[in-house]
Amino acid sequence: MTQRAPDPSAVQTLLEPNAVAIIGASGDPSRIGGRPVDYLKKSGFAGPIYPINPTRDTVQDLPAYASILDTPERPDLAIIALPAAAVLTALTECGQRGVGAAVIFSAGFAELGPEGAELQRQLLAIAREYGVRLLGPNCLGAMNIPRGLIATFSSSVQSGLPQAGHIGFVTQSGAFGSHCFALARERGLGLSRLVTTGNECDLDAADCLAYLAGDPDTRVIAMHLEGCRDGARMKMALDLVQASGKPVIVLKGGESDIGAAAAMSHTANLAGADAAYDALFRRYPVYRAHSIREFIDVAHAAAQSAIPRGKRLGLITVSGGVGILMADTAVKLGLDVAPMPQAAQDELHAMWSTATTRNPVDTTAQPVADPHMPADFQRVMLRDGNYDVLINFLSMLPLAPALADKLRPPLQTLRADYPDAVLMIAALCTPEARQGFEDDGYLVYEDPTAAVETASALTVLGERMAASKPWSRDTDPALATLESGRRYGEYECLQLLEAAGVPSVPARRAENAAAAAEAATELGFPVVLKIASADILHKSDAGCVELNLVDEASVRAAFDRIIANARHHHPEAALDGVLVAKMLGGGVEMAIGVQNDPTFGPMVMAGLGGVFIEILEDVTFELAPFDDAQAKAMLERLRGYSLLTGARGRSVADVDALVATLVRLSEFAAANADVLDSIDINPLMVMTAGQGLAAADAVILTRGNP
Amino acid sequence: MTQRAPDPSAVQTLLEPNAVAIIGASGDPSRIGGRPVDYLKKSGFAGPIYPINPTRDTVQDLPAYASILDTPERPDLAIIALPAAAVLTALTECGQRGVGAAVIFSAGFAELGPEGAELQRQLLAIAREYGVRLLGPNCLGAMNIPRGLIATFSSSVQSGLPQAGHIGFVTQSGAFGSHCFALARERGLGLSRLVTTGNECDLDAADCLAYLAGDPDTRVIAMHLEGCRDGARMKMALDLVQASGKPVIVLKGGESDIGAAAAMSHTANLAGADAAYDALFRRYPVYRAHSIREFIDVAHAAAQSAIPRGKRLGLITVSGGVGILMADTAVKLGLDVAPMPQAAQDELHAMWSTATTRNPVDTTAQPVADPHMPADFQRVMLRDGNYDVLINFLSMLPLAPALADKLRPPLQTLRADYPDAVLMIAALCTPEARQGFEDDGYLVYEDPTAAVETASALTVLGERMAASKPWSRDTDPALATLESGRRYGEYECLQLLEAAGVPSVPARRAENAAAAAEAATELGFPVVLKIASADILHKSDAGCVELNLVDEASVRAAFDRIIANARHHHPEAALDGVLVAKMLGGGVEMAIGVQNDPTFGPMVMAGLGGVFIEILEDVTFELAPFDDAQAKAMLERLRGYSLLTGARGRSVADVDALVATLVRLSEFAAANADVLDSIDINPLMVMTAGQGLAAADAVILTRGNP
């Protein structure tokens, strides 16, 4: 899976061109070919704009050219706004002229089916021949807002541009891009770049990410994904983002079965399993939002504010009831609503005797009479409570302009004294009061719960920014032992895994009843007998497993029954005798395994056995390879995790061994990614702490293995 | 627990008075005693306003009176805006004048501690003596918006009144009331009444609910609760609401431990367990919101729209990606995103060949060119898809006024043709477009996920409106067998429960080893032996339980050991011999029980045994008494419910017997509500379908039982 790395320089050519040609330029600014000319003229783009139109001398008062070959200067960027059939010729001319990148608005390519896909293939061949990089086809274009490069036909722009700012925005969907563009404008959000990638025949979201990682105008990246064809490229792009220290907010649909089915029909992209996306995002400074509102709120907050280093949340309100509501949501989201130290509480109490001081802190409505109080109280909370985020609920106080004006100055001083704290205000505000608080460095929300939710999202980003590491990890080439298309029997599977660092139960293969009895005595009773055959997958169903055999006589009898059953139920199967395995008891049963995701590669699964996996589907995933900390976190995400740590008088299981085993399994899976289909280790018997663990059964399937 | 019923007529006197006196009226409209005079003058209150102030002839240009005894007409309502110390005298004069109700703004009562509580007690005694009903003290007052009765000192009113409408609003918190009042005004929500109940020394939230149930101006009730002292009155009020057919939206904090602790310190109310509130609301047409935003959104939607009868949700968008996001949220919330019938899909396809037609339906951006398309498509969806709710995502299309004007007329016709459907639009709108759609009977949201969330809340209301029944159920007086303060041994507990309809395992009490062996033989082996003593609660810890005894000899030996252990560990305990019980196997272990909530009475608990209850705390609650349907729903809410219904090849458990047992237990608990503390039946062995169940151990604690 060696992949072409994402190419930020190609996106730079696209978004920072010397000059722009519009092929198919129209004199009518309401037509698709007319809009970019109109937008570029109005938005202050500094370089030359070359309308290309063979039938006119001027287009919207600019000199027009019959062909891009005629332009006075070689433009870095061409916008192609022609019917699909005319695009190939236009692109060839772009290539001849030495254009660096082309935005292709035109629909009629891969999104229409096989014929369109063939046209798209030809398009890409021309682009490759001349070294032109492509955005689209079937896309809404791109914008560099600070430079006034508005290379789109989105009608959204007709109502105005968003202000220039620090959010770099990438989406595969033109409709979604238009919507968020309009939303950003209506909400006063500042954008640095906006790119819609459409069919992604060449440049894709990963290229855009890589570019935005290095773009000095961009502080925060907001990405809407429908799907991702090349997981390795996406990882490389996220490595660059991680190194840049910028957070990413992602919106990706398809979590539900119905959503995933709709996504399949909506996009030509092959989307990997939704759980693989979650696993990917968890490894990087990425927050996954679940609604447009959250997507925009979190991106805005991350662009305007410091990212918190911890999860301690201080709440201060003018209404006790709202403090309770905020605390409820904060606890549900895993924030730490830690109480104030007693001395600090005493200090607040001395300042206002009817205040509630623990956290949530309640000033009552006293800030109406004493507008210094919110800042004074928060100063004590920051100094002694060590909170990473403070939310100050001020109800409708800032609707009164005189009061808002009195609240601001002490809050400005507080802001300056605690530059690293995330400070939020939840209140009904006049537009002026809201703008004032925002100018002072406060994040402002109407709804107090929305403030808590955004605080939680920022702390997730903070945790991931602190923990994330570049993806690339060496895997030991000696682990790449699987052969494509080969079938492995249980004994072989256990031996392969044992060699890779996954211990298995002591076992021997026996060719006859006497050898089985001898092996059992050596291993120690009780034992399990199972048919040894790569051709029989469902051994229990065929009567080919016998458990809890306590002496030599029962082992001998079981051997004969198992062989007879195997011959009866699977007369075609090649038999390798019987596997005699020591029967372990007393541990915690787990099930672990690997699925090889078509987009993101091997994904390791862990779950507790029995009802946890069968009834509750309590399993967690992590992309391979991973390290001890990630394996531990994977276990901690299990709902039944406390079963491993001695809950309710149980013994403590060997979590260290389990962590080490998951890491080894992830490395084995990564080393064999090209040929592996799946691994299923079930049960894995985890003994008490210090006693290790052992796989009691394993199935490995390779690609091309029916 | 016989309770005074809630009194709607007292609240009517308060909110629909002939005239209003303001005791402590000030000439300064910015002071607490001046504000209600100012507000009443400006808000168009039709009756006389009598300022009471012994030092002035006029107050704010109205004739003032030295005492309420001097007013020309007897006012139904007096507002008392005096320091706490002066309130008793003022109230006495109100009583002498024959005032029906008084609103007491003054703080300084029970919220301050024991001294204030004594003052509040005296206040109530005066009120009772004269038959004056009280709102407050320590409250922000009340409003009847259509009548211009603004009996509050909230500074929120200075910025304007909300429009008159159909949401009746009750809160115990003045600060919260002010906030929602301001929010309603800013958001354009229509209110009918707003009452803040403060310390609730007389009239409480239940009285207000009962009044709003009968108030013709009110279609929807919005209630913010901090706590409820008298659960029986609340049930009676909700019975009235249920009979009126009006939905209730509740916001109540304290779900989390920290929130509950803050609630305890914030309010003098004794709040019952949060789970009891959930159980209460589930029985009525009540939707519990978890944020102010949700509270307001759902109340507004319920006031403006029909309540859906089912959970079928149709989604139609101009952006496939947003359809996927909406479907994800809908599935997570349990809505039915059912596909369109194929014939209807074909019809949509014929109308626009690039549409996606399954559900979510995607028109692409074609409504820009064909503004009839959203209505035409939705007509097919309503006619053939049988959806209860439709959400139409229009992105930023309605920001273009000309397009919005073209979209509206066909949507108006559709609205008229399908009056029962809930129709929502999610889009960025100009204020005019938004108002237009709302006037046409559409619910309008900026965020598409918020539309889905509100749709889900409305379907919950719809379900509960269809299912809810008045609370009052007869309980058999013969079931009231528990005696207060008495200790019951295990054998007695099992016999009491058996008599109440909860089967228990076959068991005998034996006084000596020989009798135990004989009992075991009669019952059939294997058996369990346990000490019989009301004085020994933790029998296993004292070595007083032996399981799985398979013959007479082991029963005899176990008898001797158990008696010896009991004498050793509990020398003070009175022993009633040993209980010999048949040991059941092969069923599903459950734990069921009862907690007697201080506010809402007995609450039945059900959980699956083992890891479900120990590790996952997977238990559900229902207030007693309840019927089969409620018991069934209680089981279905268990995360591990499928363990009872044959998941993964398990046998199907006797759910019918379990349902019947839970209903019997709820009736027994309700009949003994006055003396019961708790019941704990664990394990309850539920056998396969048709085989019944049996309690294998039970503890019943009564009040006053240490």
Side-chain angles (χ1 to χ4, degrees):
Chain A
M1 290 223 292
T2 320
Q3 299 294 337
R4 192 166 50 88
D7 185 356
S9 67
V11 182
Q12 184 167 17
T13 303
L14 176 80
L15 287 172
E16 303 173 22
N18 64 329
V20 184
I22 302 96
I23 305 177
S26 164
D28 178 350
S30 75
R31 303 193 59 168
I32 288 178
R35 288 181 200 164
V37 179
D38 181 45
Y39 299 160
L40 283 164
K41 280 176 64 184
K42 288 180 179 160
S43 61
F45 177 67
I49 305 165
Y50 302 128
I52 311 296
N53 185 325
T55 68
R56 307 182 58 140
D57 290 337
T58 65
V59 165
Q60 300 186 41
D61 302 325
L62 293 171
Y65 303 86
S67 158
I68 196 167
L69 299 168
D70 305 330
T71 56
E73 190 184 352
R74 184 195 62 78
D76 287 334
L77 176 64
I79 297 170
I80 302 181
L82 295 171
V87 171
L88 265 53
T89 307
L91 183 63
T92 304
E93 290 185 0
C94 288
Q96 289 163 348
R97 187 70 179 93
V99 161
V103 173
I104 303 174
F105 292 166
S106 326
F109 292 90
E111 79 280 5
L112 286 196
E115 258 180 70
E118 170 56 24
L119 198 61
Q120 186 166 310
R121 205 194 53 70
Q122 293 172 24
L123 191 71
L124 185 60
I126 295 167
R128 291 271 186 270
E129 180 186 346
Y130 291 101
V132 186
R133 301 307 298 270
L134 300 184
L135 186 69
N138 187 29
C139 82
L140 215 73
M143 307 185 204
N144 179 334
I145 308 235
R147 291 183 183 228
L149 175 81
I150 310 298
T152 181
F153 65 95
S154 169
S155 60
S156 276
V157 180
Q158 285 161 359
S159 309
L161 288 173
Q163 64 193 67
H166 302 290
I167 302 173
F169 188 100
V170 188
T171 173
Q172 296 167 317
S173 156
F176 193 86
S178 276
H179 182 74
C180 287
F181 173 88
L183 193 53
R185 185 186 60 223
E186 303 296 307
R187 290 269 211 97
L189 262 65
L191 298 188
S192 55
R193 308 284 185 275
L194 189 155
V195 189
T196 72
T197 56
N199 286 10
E200 296 192 339
C201 86
D202 178 21
L203 294 173
D204 67 4
D207 294 300
C208 296
L209 274 189
Y211 165 77
L212 292 171
D215 171 33
D217 289 339
T218 298
R219 263 189 228 147
V220 170
I221 299 167
M223 174 166 68
H224 169 246
L225 268 187
E226 298 193 322
C228 171
R229 265 178 301 215
D230 187 336
R233 269 167 61 72
M234 183 59 76
K235 288 175 194 166
M236 286 187 246
L238 286 168
D239 280 343
L240 293 173
V241 173
Q242 186 272 325
S244 76
K246 298 178 187 180
V248 183
I249 296 75
V250 164
L251 185 61
K252 183 201 161 286
E255 279 181 299
S256 67
D257 290 350
I258 291 171
M264 287 290 277
S265 76
H266 176 64
T267 163
N269 284 343
L270 176 63
D274 193 75
Y277 285 90
D278 272 334
L280 178 74
F281 299 150
R282 213 182 291 122
R283 293 284 277 274
Y284 286 106
V286 176
Y287 179 79
R288 182 176 183 177
H290 292 88
S291 70
I292 297 174
R293 178 166 65 190
E294 189 189 18
F295 181 58
I296 295 288
D297 277 356
V298 179
H300 180 63
Q304 297 298 315
S305 166
I307 304 293
R309 290 193 192 138
K311 287 183 163 290
R312 287 173 72 93
L313 174 67
L315 298 168
I316 168 167
T317 82
V318 294
S319 159
V322 175
I324 295 162
L325 288 176
M326 289 196 289
D328 283 344
T329 301
V331 170
K332 191 155 59 184
L333 295 174
L335 292 164
D336 179 9
V337 188
M340 291 266 285
Q342 191 55 51
Q345 293 194 48
D346 295 343
E347 190 174 341
L348 293 185
H349 226 273
M351 289 158 72
W352 178 234
S353 65
T354 61
T356 306
T357 57
R358 188 180 156 85
N359 186 26
V361 169
D362 180 9
T363 60
T364 73
Q366 186 62 9
V368 175
D370 179 2
H372 276 256
M373 187 178 277
D376 293 348
F377 269 52
Q378 287 178 76
R379 184 174 293 279
V380 175
M381 293 175 79
L382 287 170
R383 192 194 61 205
D384 295 342
N386 200 21
Y387 297 111
D388 302 294
V389 184
L390 279 192
I391 304 177
N392 182 15
F393 177 69
L394 288 171
S395 189
M396 73 294 176
L397 269 49
L399 282 181
L403 184 53
D405 288 345
K406 287 185 201 148
L407 289 164
R408 273 183 70 190
L411 290 172
Q412 287 165 343
T413 311
L414 180 78
R415 174 75 283 182
D417 292 345
Y418 289 91
D420 293 337
V422 179
L423 300 179
M424 297 181 167
I425 289 173
L428 303 180
C429 294
T430 60
E432 297 71 31
R434 183 187 179 102
Q435 189 62 53
F437 289 135
E438 287 186 345
D439 290 347
D440 295 344
Y442 286 78
L443 296 169
V444 184
Y445 300 87
E446 182 185 286
D447 186 66
T449 303
V452 177
E453 289 165 349
T454 306
S456 165
L458 292 180
T459 64
V460 169
L461 276 176
E463 275 188 326
R464 293 184 181 175
M465 287 170 84
S468 74
K469 292 172 254 195
W471 183 272
S472 42
R473 295 188 59 200
D474 294 333
T475 46
D476 182 354
L479 287 171
T481 50
L482 293 180
E483 292 165 39
S484 178
R486 211 184 121 184
R487 269 194 207 171
Y488 294 95
E490 178 183 348
Y491 189 56
E492 249 180 322
C493 290
L494 289 172
Q495 285 184 314
L496 279 163
L497 290 166
E498 180 101 41
V502 179
S504 57
V505 291
R508 308 261 189 289
R509 201 150 53 181
E511 299 287 342
N512 55 54
E518 191 183 333
T521 305
E522 277 174 37
L523 293 166
F525 293 97
V527 296
V528 182
L529 260 61
K530 302 187 242 187
I531 192 71
S533 167
D535 298 329
I536 303 178
L537 274 185
H538 302 289
K539 297 187 277 275
S540 292
D541 298 350
C544 290
V545 179
E546 298 214 13
L547 304 174
N548 205 22
L549 303 167
V550 295
D551 55 30
E552 292 201 5
S554 42
V555 167
R556 276 190 295 266
F559 183 97
D560 293 339
R561 282 193 297 270
I562 285 174
I563 295 292
N565 282 332
R567 292 214 171 107
H568 175 67
H569 290 287
H570 294 280
E572 78 299 342
L575 306 185
D576 299 320
V578 160
L579 192 64
V580 185
K582 187 157 173 59
M583 186 160 163
L584 296 178
V588 177
E589 276 191 36
M590 299 275 302
I592 66 175
V594 180
Q595 287 292 327
N596 203 350
D597 186 82
T599 303
F600 296 106
M603 182 162 65
V604 174
M605 182 277 293
L608 286 152
V611 294
F612 284 95
I613 206 159
E614 290 184 4
I615 306 288
L616 301 167
E617 296 172 6
D618 178 25
V619 292
T620 58
F621 300 96
E622 199 71 53
L623 289 172
F626 49 76
D627 64 18
D628 284 11
Q630 288 153 344
K632 187 79 187 298
M634 188 179 175
L635 295 172
E636 287 168 353
R637 284 198 303 278
L638 288 169
R639 278 187 270 168
Y641 177 60
S642 64
L643 208 62
L644 294 168
T645 57
R648 303 269 183 148
R650 289 171 169 80
S651 60
V652 178
D654 199 335
V655 174
D656 289 345
L658 183 53
V659 162
T661 298
L662 287 167
V663 170
R664 295 296 95 71
L665 181 64
S666 84
E667 288 167 344
F668 178 71
N672 291 283
D674 290 345
V675 296
L676 181 66
D677 183 42
S678 66
I679 301 175
D680 187 9
I681 301 173
N682 184 8
L684 177 78
M685 306 301 298
V686 184
M687 313 314 286
T688 53
Q691 303 298 307
L693 50 73
D697 197 353
V699 177
I700 298 176
L701 298 179
T702 57
R703 284 181 177 162
N705 179 347
Chain B
M1 291 225 291
T2 321
Q3 300 294 339
R4 190 165 53 88
D7 185 357
S9 68
V11 182
Q12 185 167 18
T13 304
L14 175 80
L15 287 172
E16 303 173 20
N18 64 331
V20 183
I22 301 95
I23 304 177
S26 165
D28 179 350
S30 75
R31 301 192 60 167
I32 287 178
R35 288 181 201 164
V37 179
D38 181 46
Y39 299 161
L40 283 163
K41 281 177 64 184
K42 288 180 180 160
S43 62
F45 178 65
I49 305 166
Y50 302 129
I52 312 295
N53 184 325
T55 68
R56 307 181 59 138
D57 290 340
T58 64
V59 164
Q60 299 187 40
D61 302 326
L62 293 171
Y65 302 87
S67 158
I68 196 167
L69 298 167
D70 304 333
T71 56
E73 186 184 355
R74 185 195 61 77
D76 288 334
L77 176 63
I79 297 170
I80 301 181
L82 295 172
V87 171
L88 266 52
T89 308
L91 183 62
T92 305
E93 290 186 4
C94 288
Q96 290 162 350
R97 187 69 180 94
V99 162
V103 173
I104 302 174
F105 291 166
S106 325
F109 292 88
E111 81 280 6
L112 286 196
E115 259 180 70
E118 171 55 24
L119 198 63
Q120 186 167 310
R121 205 194 51 71
Q122 294 171 25
L123 191 72
L124 185 60
I126 295 167
R128 292 273 186 268
E129 181 186 344
Y130 291 102
V132 187
R133 302 306 300 269
L134 301 183
L135 186 70
N138 187 29
C139 80
L140 215 73
M143 308 184 202
N144 179 335
I145 306 230
R147 289 182 184 229
L149 176 81
I150 310 298
T152 181
F153 66 95
S154 169
S155 60
S156 275
V157 179
Q158 285 163 358
S159 309
L161 289 172
Q163 65 193 67
H166 303 292
I167 302 173
F169 188 99
V170 189
T171 173
Q172 295 167 318
S173 157
F176 193 86
S178 275
H179 183 75
C180 287
F181 172 89
L183 194 53
R185 184 186 61 222
E186 302 296 307
R187 288 269 212 97
L189 261 66
L191 298 188
S192 56
R193 308 285 185 271
L194 189 156
V195 190
T196 73
T197 57
N199 286 9
E200 297 192 340
C201 87
D202 179 21
L203 295 174
D204 68 2
D207 294 300
C208 296
L209 274 190
Y211 164 77
L212 293 171
D215 170 34
D217 289 339
T218 298
R219 264 189 227 148
V220 170
I221 299 167
M223 175 166 67
H224 170 244
L225 268 187
E226 298 193 323
C228 171
R229 264 178 302 216
D230 188 335
R233 273 167 59 71
M234 184 57 76
K235 288 175 193 166
M236 287 188 248
L238 286 169
D239 279 343
L240 293 173
V241 172
Q242 186 273 324
S244 76
K246 298 178 187 180
V248 184
I249 297 63
V250 165
L251 185 62
K252 182 199 163 288
E255 279 180 300
S256 66
D257 290 348
I258 291 171
M264 286 290 277
S265 75
H266 176 63
T267 165
N269 284 341
L270 178 64
D274 193 77
Y277 285 90
D278 272 335
L280 178 74
F281 300 150
R282 213 183 290 121
R283 294 283 276 272
Y284 286 106
V286 176
Y287 179 79
R288 182 176 184 177
H290 292 88
S291 70
I292 298 175
R293 178 166 65 192
E294 188 188 19
F295 181 57
I296 295 289
D297 276 356
V298 178
H300 180 62
Q304 297 298 316
S305 165
I307 305 292
R309 289 192 193 138
K311 287 182 162 290
R312 287 172 71 93
L313 173 67
L315 298 169
I316 167 169
T317 82
V318 295
S319 158
V322 175
I324 295 162
L325 287 176
M326 290 197 287
D328 283 344
T329 301
V331 170
K332 190 156 58 186
L333 295 174
L335 292 165
D336 180 9
V337 188
M340 292 266 285
Q342 191 55 52
Q345 292 195 48
D346 295 344
E347 191 174 340
L348 293 185
H349 227 272
M351 288 157 72
W352 177 236
S353 64
T354 63
T356 306
T357 57
R358 186 179 157 86
N359 187 26
V361 169
D362 179 8
T363 60
T364 73
Q366 187 62 9
V368 175
D370 179 1
H372 277 256
M373 187 178 276
D376 292 349
F377 268 53
Q378 285 178 76
R379 182 174 295 278
V380 175
M381 292 174 80
L382 287 170
R383 191 193 65 205
D384 295 341
N386 199 23
Y387 296 111
D388 302 294
V389 184
L390 279 192
I391 303 177
N392 183 14
F393 176 70
L394 288 171
S395 188
M396 73 292 177
L397 269 49
L399 283 182
L403 183 53
D405 288 345
K406 287 185 201 152
L407 289 164
R408 273 183 71 189
L411 289 171
Q412 287 166 342
T413 311
L414 180 77
R415 173 75 283 183
D417 292 345
Y418 290 90
D420 294 337
V422 178
L423 301 179
M424 297 181 167
I425 289 173
L428 301 180
C429 294
T430 60
E432 298 72 31
R434 184 186 178 104
Q435 190 61 53
F437 289 135
E438 287 186 346
D439 291 347
D440 295 344
Y442 286 78
L443 296 169
V444 184
Y445 300 87
E446 181 184 289
D447 187 67
T449 303
V452 176
E453 289 165 350
T454 306
S456 166
L458 292 178
T459 64
V460 169
L461 276 176
E463 275 189 326
R464 293 186 181 174
M465 288 170 84
S468 74
K469 291 172 254 193
W471 184 271
S472 43
R473 295 188 58 199
D474 295 332
T475 46
D476 183 353
L479 287 172
T481 51
L482 293 181
E483 292 165 40
S484 178
R486 210 184 121 186
R487 268 193 209 173
Y488 295 94
E490 177 181 349
Y491 189 55
E492 254 181 316
C493 290
L494 290 173
Q495 285 185 314
L496 279 162
L497 290 167
E498 180 98 43
V502 179
S504 56
V505 290
R508 306 264 189 286
R509 199 149 53 179
E511 299 287 343
N512 55 55
E518 191 183 331
T521 305
E522 277 173 38
L523 293 165
F525 292 96
V527 297
V528 180
L529 258 63
K530 301 188 241 186
I531 192 73
S533 167
D535 298 328
I536 303 178
L537 274 184
H538 302 289
K539 298 188 277 273
S540 292
D541 297 349
C544 291
V545 179
E546 299 215 12
L547 305 173
N548 205 21
L549 304 167
V550 295
D551 55 31
E552 292 202 4
S554 43
V555 167
R556 275 189 296 266
F559 183 96
D560 294 339
R561 279 192 300 269
I562 285 174
I563 294 293
N565 281 333
R567 293 213 169 110
H568 175 69
H569 290 288
H570 294 279
E572 78 299 343
L575 306 185
D576 299 320
V578 160
L579 191 66
V580 185
K582 188 158 173 59
M583 187 160 161
L584 297 178
V588 177
E589 275 191 36
M590 299 275 301
I592 66 175
V594 179
Q595 286 294 325
N596 203 349
D597 186 81
T599 304
F600 296 106
M603 182 162 65
V604 174
M605 182 278 293
L608 287 152
V611 294
F612 284 96
I613 205 159
E614 291 184 3
I615 306 287
L616 301 168
E617 295 171 7
D618 179 25
V619 293
T620 59
F621 299 96
E622 199 72 52
L623 289 172
F626 49 75
D627 65 17
D628 285 10
Q630 288 152 341
K632 186 79 186 299
M634 188 179 173
L635 295 173
E636 288 168 351
R637 284 198 302 279
L638 288 169
R639 276 185 270 164
Y641 177 60
S642 64
L643 208 61
L644 294 167
T645 56
R648 303 269 183 149
R650 289 171 169 80
S651 60
V652 178
D654 199 335
V655 174
D656 290 346
L658 183 54
V659 162
T661 298
L662 287 167
V663 170
R664 295 295 93 72
L665 180 64
S666 83
E667 288 168 344
F668 177 71
N672 292 283
D674 290 345
V675 297
L676 181 65
D677 182 45
S678 67
I679 301 175
D680 188 10
I681 302 172
N682 184 9
L684 177 78
M685 306 300 299
V686 185
M687 312 313 287
T688 53
Q691 304 296 307
L693 51 73
D697 196 353
V699 178
I700 298 177
L701 298 178
T702 57
R703 284 182 177 163
N705 179 348

